[in-house]
Amino acid sequence: MGFIWWALPGLLTARGIDLATVATLSSFQTLPWVFKFVMGPVIDYSTARGIRLSRFIMACQIMMGITLLTLASLDWSANYTGLVSALFILGCFSATQYLGIDALALRTVPEEEL
């Protein structure tokens, strides 16, 4: 996420993309993190149905890797819509993975250490 918020705006403006468009992109990419509370019940429901948190986290990591490979193959200047979409999907999987790791920590760390 640091790359998206700190390095990507500089790279995009260097490629001639309007600063207002870059600012909108950066703002849009925060939405998965703002609305990650929606995924909390999904994670709880999944684990209640027998899906292990480690598998849930691994699935998110695999999907993040696939999304990053997609991003690597895009021409950011020519396919701005694809860039925005791929970054949004990456943010969704990243925020969901973050929740899964938090849930795993809460379940594995002794209560006196929380």
Side-chain angles (χ1 to χ4, degrees):
M1 294 312 296
F3 173 78
I4 293 170
W5 290 328
W6 296 103
L8 187 62
L11 292 171
L12 292 175
T13 53
R15 292 184 180 195
I17 296 178
D18 180 42
L19 187 58
T21 304
V22 173
T24 302
L25 168 69
S26 296
S27 299
F28 183 66
Q29 297 311 312
T30 62
L31 290 177
W33 294 91
V34 170
F35 292 107
K36 69 182 179 183
F37 69 90
V38 173
M39 288 305 294
V42 173
I43 292 172
D44 290 339
Y45 179 76
S46 298
T47 56
R49 304 228 3 134
I51 298 174
R52 296 180 59 191
L53 280 171
S54 58
R55 290 185 182 178
F56 195 84
I57 293 166
M58 187 174 294
C60 286
Q61 289 177 342
I62 290 169
M63 295 307 295
M64 286 168 49
I66 291 170
T67 307
L68 287 170
L69 288 173
T70 303
L71 278 168
S73 66
L74 285 177
D75 179 11
W76 298 351
S77 301
N79 191 358
Y80 185 75
T81 305
L83 173 68
V84 172
S85 300
L87 287 175
F88 184 76
I89 292 168
L90 177 65
C92 290
F93 285 120
S94 181
T96 303
Q97 175 202 6
Y98 180 83
L99 286 173
I101 290 171
D102 279 355
L104 183 63
L106 287 173
R107 292 180 182 160
T108 58
V109 173
E111 189 171 326
E112 63 273 359
E113 293 183 22
L114 291 176

